[in-house]
Amino acid sequence: MTGSAVKGVIFHKLALISRWLSPACLASVSVLLITIMALFTAPYIGMADNGDYFHILDSNGLYFNISDYDSYYYSYFIKEFGIFQYFNENSSSVVTSQSLFIQLALSLNKLFYSHEVFDIRFQAAIYTLLYTIAVYLLVESLTWKIPKKYGYWIAILAIFIFGDTGYTAYFNSFYGESVVLIMMVFMLGSGLLLCRHRYNDYILMAIFTFSGIILTMSKQENALVGVIVALTCIRMIFIRKQQTFRILMSISLVFLLLAGVSTYILTPKEFVNMNKFHAMTRGVLMESSDPEAALKSFGIDEQYAILDKTNYYELNTTMDVNSDILKNEFYSRYGFISVLKYYIMHPGQAGEMFNLAAENAFIIRPSEIGNYEISAGYPAGTQTNFFSGYSQIKKTLIPRTFGFIVIWIMVIVGLYLPGFITAIKAKNIRESTRIPLIIIFILVGLLGIFGSVIIAGDAELGKHVFPFTVAFDLVTFLFIADIVGRHLFRGHQE
């Protein structure tokens, strides 16, 4: 068969497929099938506990039902947990939107499986379903009304990036990263569909708002996300001329703003002190050539330099991290603003910390956390290679420096700016909201880097910079899709 004949056969097959399977359907169904194979067929893939689980478990009426649970830390994924059968005095210790999904999973678990044992795969099933819908909306927003021959390439790229088990393994865990990932995909997909006037504007507005609120309230570190979205999306109010839409959109942005403020206020004091401790001991002091002088600049006694590089959860510490003396003479002397001012006055030290954060910003899953159950027979801490090509390439090939992040932002903004100016001149409100949407994700990503350094130092950087990891993938995917679809400079002319 000649080359032209082969091409003819391929195009004929694609034409048949395109009659019943759109690029968005292809991407979402493929991600669904890959995720089902990874999370719901043996050997099951999930994430080992790094010690963070107990807060969210206590708050949701769950407990560790394995006697030697500590030996599983970082090593093995555990899929079953006990359900409290008596009064739980810690039921409200953590306020997070993640609990909504855990409680829904718990209800389904009790209905179909057990009242005493919780199987985390009920939660994974909920996340997988939501993620499939989110991926559909995202791909549809980029492939609607473009030639199918370009649309399928975009769909294949979406499968490669968002079907990666580096991302989906989080669904079989109690880490808040699952919520962050799903809600960010929902936000970008619904926001772009609003720009393109695809589907009902009111439904898309609701998806955009609720996903933004859930994202904001998923973690204390995301409190500023609501503020960023509310202030950056003001232009969306004017997408439609109808007063009803403009009022509802305005109310939505106010709710996003309030979600950010309430998330910060409702954060338990223990979390605030934990982050403050790490901001100083794993941040300011860690990279300072003179820790005593650094403490003096905050009005803290120089003797506390002994805490340099220590961790809040260390068993054998030099001081009790919850002691009154530390509360009065250490925690009370500094906060987010004073740490920010310190880094502004010490740019060299700030650069060191940001580069440290950037090293972790392109790693989707922390390298020290295992993916398999102990019964699977793999050594402790083994990570899966199943459909993880993208996360491996990203970790290996991308320069993991803060300088690269700056260049990436300049390229993205610089190339989208002409289209934004053209849309403004043409008074095309919908198209002109496209770059503010991109700016939101860049800012949310940068918040992950700056916030992690300023709020918690280098403690658990791999997890704290996760919003940047997702934002980088979403914006880069959008950028490549617009190049493939020939819409980078001229936008979508609906």
Side-chain angles (χ1 to χ4, degrees), residues 361-410:
F362 298 96
I363 300 173
I364 296 176
R365 57 183 169 183
S367 56
E368 68 276 14
I369 295 180
N371 288 134
Y372 291 106
E373 293 179 280
I374 193 170
S375 59
Y378 293 101
T382 301
Q383 295 196 320
T384 181
N385 290 317
F386 175 71
F387 209 85
S388 58
Y390 175 70
S391 53
Q392 296 295 339
I393 289 172
K394 186 178 179 183
K395 178 181 177 181
T396 308
L397 298 183
I398 294 181
R400 290 187 280 158
T401 65
F402 192 69
F404 173 75
I405 293 173
V406 173
I407 293 171
W408 172 74
I409 293 171
M410 291 172 66

Side-chain angles (χ1 to χ4, degrees), residues 19 51 77 97 125 210 235 288 295 430 438:
R19 287 181 185 175
F77 158 55
S97 56
F210 281 117
R235 197 168 182 77
S288 174
L295 286 169
R430 286 186 188 270
I438 295 170

Side-chain angles (χ1 to χ4, degrees), residues 236-472:
M236 277 190 177
I237 296 171
F238 306 102
I239 277 180
R240 292 178 72 107
K241 293 181 179 178
Q242 290 88 346
Q243 196 175 26
T244 305
F245 180 86
R246 292 186 172 186
I247 291 172
L248 290 174
M249 193 69 203
S250 301
I251 293 172
S252 298
L253 297 183
V254 171
F255 272 118
L256 280 162
L257 194 64
L258 293 176
V261 175
S262 59
T263 299
Y264 183 78
I265 293 172
L266 293 173
T267 302
K269 192 67 177 175
E270 182 189 349
F271 281 90
V272 175
N273 284 345
M274 178 189 71
N275 285 332
K276 286 179 74 173
F277 187 87
H278 289 148
M280 185 60 70
T281 63
R282 305 291 312 178
V284 171
L285 299 183
M286 190 177 75
E287 291 296 334
S288 174
S289 58
D290 189 348
E292 287 81 4
L295 286 169
K296 197 173 179 181
S297 69
F298 287 91
I300 300 174
D301 194 306
E302 299 167 27
Q303 67 175 326
Y304 289 108
I306 198 172
L307 296 174
D308 184 14
K309 299 184 181 66
T310 56
N311 189 297
Y312 189 86
Y313 289 115
E314 283 180 18
L315 295 177
N316 301 310
T317 57
T318 51
M319 294 193 71
D320 179 3
V321 294
N322 292 309
S323 64
D324 287 337
I325 190 171
L326 218 57
K327 289 176 183 173
N328 296 328
E329 297 184 5
F330 191 73
Y331 297 127
S332 62
R333 303 297 173 87
Y334 65 98
F336 166 76
I337 299 297
S338 55
V339 173
L340 177 62
K341 283 170 62 179
Y342 177 86
Y343 280 124
I344 291 173
M345 298 300 293
H346 300 80
Q349 195 175 331
E352 292 289 329
M353 289 301 296
F354 293 150
N355 267 328
L356 194 59
E359 282 185 27
N360 292 273
F362 298 96
I363 300 173
I364 296 176
R365 57 183 169 183
S367 56
E368 68 276 14
I369 295 180
N371 288 134
Y372 291 106
E373 293 179 280
I374 193 170
S375 59
Y378 293 101
T382 301
Q383 295 196 320
T384 181
N385 290 317
F386 175 71
F387 209 85
S388 58
Y390 175 70
S391 53
Q392 296 295 339
I393 289 172
K394 186 178 179 183
K395 178 181 177 181
T396 308
L397 298 183
I398 294 181
R400 290 187 280 158
T401 65
F402 192 69
F404 173 75
I405 293 173
V406 173
I407 293 171
W408 172 74
I409 293 171
M410 291 172 66
V411 169
I412 294 292
V413 174
L415 290 177
Y416 274 103
L417 198 56
F420 175 68
I421 295 171
T422 302
I424 291 289
K425 287 180 179 176
K427 297 181 179 178
N428 186 340
I429 301 292
R430 286 186 188 270
E431 187 59 32
S432 68
T433 58
R434 190 176 181 81
I435 194 164
L437 202 58
I438 295 170
I439 295 294
I440 285 175
F441 282 82
I442 290 175
L443 290 177
V444 169
L446 288 178
L447 178 65
I449 290 179
F450 293 142
S452 60
V453 169
I454 294 167
I455 294 175
D458 81 332
E460 296 184 2
L461 265 179
K463 288 173 84 274
H464 285 160
V465 297
F466 186 78
F468 177 83
T469 298
V470 181
F472 177 85

Side-chain angles (χ1 to χ4, degrees), residues 46-53 69-78 175 311 313 366-372 379-383 459-460 463:
M47 301 280 282
D49 182 4
N50 70 347
D52 276 357
Y53 279 13
Y69 187 86
D70 289 359
S71 65
Y72 285 71
Y73 283 150
Y74 291 99
S75 303
Y76 295 108
F77 158 55
I78 295 172
Y175 298 122
N311 189 297
Y313 289 115
S367 56
E368 68 276 14
I369 295 180
N371 288 134
Y372 291 106
T382 301
Q383 295 196 320
E460 296 184 2
K463 288 173 84 274

